[in-house]
């Protein structure tokens, strides 16, 4: 019996995530798997994202039945076991015999044939072991919530200090669910085309101009392939809208280009300069944001300088991404507390450099998709304390502007702010976790 293409794909993607620090969602939607059948692509995606979301829980099940410590297992063996256990525990419609067969065959295919009897034995023990339903994100402290939500305890400890126990439970529970797919359409006719292609849409929950996919695979449509519709979380779209209107606009860290394109569409007469450090990402940016009023330049935002000044600047800086764990669960297994100071150092440098390019009376949006304070308010306050002539504008003023314009449809502006900053929290809000600060120059 041949191995299911879905399980082969899942194995290959998870191996690339583990060995190459790749991102699962990018791989699953890459050209490599473009010709995978719809049913196989759905199953592969379910397995990959499920394994990454529940990795620590799966490892507990494996450890309880394994004669060897997990650290001693080859990565291929561990991935095959995780794939098998996830299907046995979380996918009710998948036949156990197919799970066991394909897990063993995956090991053989990976040239680890000697481990096949071990994988078969462990999975059979797990199949026959009593099962308890996982109570997602339950517990009174970081340790208990960590165990029931498959999040590192050090992250939850930080969130409890910042958001409280209940909000942290809600946040973790959100991360463990499949998030809704938010999109932005760049032509008015696209909605009709998508409907004809079998895509059912609903209105955005934060933004009038956003939509959410109720059913259907948007990535299989011609409109998506042609770039007339883009997948983009509503909080990410909101950050781009905060930039507002200007004549000379700088996007400091622009790839992949979703925010850049929104800015360009709302500023048709503006000159927009989009910077990207890496050439391959700059090429992606040119494809994702093809607007004629965008100039893409490969440059380091911390070193870039020009005699011109910009009346609007977006500094959407590289960050830990802890606000996006529902979509990028691999992040929680890669990130360590030691990574945060390095990220902060670069964030400080980018913000300082961006502020030097801001014209008098202009506005700069500093943003991240991180929940961590040292990447957010700490960065902004540290820079402002050393840079006279700049000041913080309460984010609620810009949110109120968007509400008046009919763009922001979320009724409770106060829930989108934390002090003078914009802040979305997964589960509390129907979107990823984003932070934004609005800075002006005297």
């Amino acid at each position: 019996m041949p191995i299911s293409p879905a399980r082969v794909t899942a194995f290959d993607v998870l191996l690339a995530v583990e060995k190459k620090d790749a991102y699962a969602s990018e791989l699953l939607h890459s050209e490599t798997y473009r010709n995978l059948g719809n049913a196989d692509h759905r199953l592969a995606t379910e397995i990959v994202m499920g394994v990454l979301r529940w990795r620590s829980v799966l490892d507990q099940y494996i450890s309880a039945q394994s004669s060897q410590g997990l650290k001693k297992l080859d990565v291929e063996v561990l991935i095959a076991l995780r794939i098998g256990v996830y299907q046995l525990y979380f996918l009710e419609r998948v036949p156990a015999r197919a799970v066991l067969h394909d897990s063993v065959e995956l090991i053989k295919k990976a040239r680890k044939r000697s481990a096949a009897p071990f994988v078969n034995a462990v999975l059979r023990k797990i199949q026959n072991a009593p099962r308890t339903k996982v109570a997602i994100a339950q517990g009174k402290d970081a340790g208990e919530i960590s165990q029931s939500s498959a999040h590192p305890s050090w992250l939850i400890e930080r969130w409890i200090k910042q958001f409280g126990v209940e909000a942290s439970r809600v946040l973790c529970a959100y991360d463990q669910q499949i998030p809704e797919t938010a999109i932005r359409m760049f032509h008015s006719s696209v909605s009709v085309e998508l409907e004809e292609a079998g895509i059912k849409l609903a209105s955005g929950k934060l933004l009038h101009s956003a939509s959410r996919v109720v059913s259907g695979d948007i990535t299989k449509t011609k409109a998506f392939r042609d770039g007339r519709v883009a997948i983009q979380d509503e909080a990410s779209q909101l950050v781009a809208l905060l930039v507002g209107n200007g004549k000379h606009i700088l996007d400091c860290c622009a790839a992949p280009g979703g925010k850049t394109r929104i800015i360009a569409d709302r500023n048709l007469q503006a000159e927009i300069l989009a910077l990207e450090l890496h050439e391959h990402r700059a090429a992606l940016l040119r494809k994702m944001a093809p607007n004629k009023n965008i100039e893409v330049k490969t440059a380091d935002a911390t070193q870039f300088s020009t005699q011109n000044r910009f009346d609007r600047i977006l500094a959407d800086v590289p960050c830990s991404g802890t606000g996006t764990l529902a979509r990028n669960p691999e992040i929680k297994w890669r990130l360590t507390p030691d990574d945060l100071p390095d990220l902060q150092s670069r964030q400080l440098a980018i913000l300082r450099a961006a502020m030097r390019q801001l014209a008098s009376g202009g506005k700069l949006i500093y943003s991240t998709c991180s929940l961590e304070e040292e990447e957010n308010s700490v960065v902004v306050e540290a820079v402002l304390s050393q840079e006279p002539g700049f000041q913080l504008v309460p984010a609620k003023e810009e949110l109120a502007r968007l509400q008046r314009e009919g763009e922001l449809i979320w009724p409770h502006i106060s829930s989108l702010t934390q002090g003078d900053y914009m802040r979305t929290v997964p589960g509390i809000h129907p979107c990823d976790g984003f932070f934004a600060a609005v800075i002006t120059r005297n």
Side-chain angles (χ1 to χ4, degrees), residues 153-170:
S153 58
W154 70 269
L155 260 184
I156 299 175
E157 287 173 2
R158 298 168 60 87
W159 294 346
I160 288 175
K161 290 179 181 177
Q162 185 177 178
F163 304 115
V165 173
E166 181 56 32
S168 296
R169 279 199 292 257
V170 171

Side-chain angles (χ1 to χ4, degrees), residues 13 33 35 74 136 149-150 219 228 244 249 259 266 275 278 288 294 320 325 331 370-371 383 386 435:
V13 170
Y33 304 109
N35 295 325
D74 289 340
I136 303 177
S149 69
T219 65
R228 288 176 288 117
I249 303 174
K259 298 182 186 70
R266 289 174 63 86
L275 305 182
H278 302 289
M288 294 290 290
I294 299 173
S320 63
L325 299 186
I331 288 174
S370 169
L371 300 174
V383 174
Q386 299 169 356
F435 168 92

Side-chain angles (χ1 to χ4, degrees), residues 11 73-82 107 112 115 118-119:
F11 183 87
L73 300 179
D74 289 340
V75 65
E76 293 86 354
V77 174
L78 190 53
I79 288 173
L81 286 170
R82 287 170 177 164
I107 283 300
K112 300 289 180 180
F118 170 79
V119 169

Side-chain angles (χ1 to χ4, degrees), residues 404-419:
R404 289 192 302 270
E405 293 173 357
E407 186 61 80
L408 179 64
I409 59 176
W410 185 260
H412 311 296
I413 287 180
S414 60
S415 79
L416 295 173
T417 60
Q418 185 179 49

Side-chain angles (χ1 to χ4, degrees), residues 15 24 35 66 91 102 136-137 151 153 192 197 224 232 240 257 264 266 300 334 357 372 375 394 415 424:
L15 192 61
N35 295 325
S66 174
L91 301 185
D102 281 7
I136 303 177
H151 280 64
S153 58
V192 175
F224 178 81
Q232 188 176 11
R266 289 174 63 86
D300 185 338
R334 292 176 182 167
Q357 307 299 320
E372 314 317 310
E375 297 184 85
S415 79
T424 58

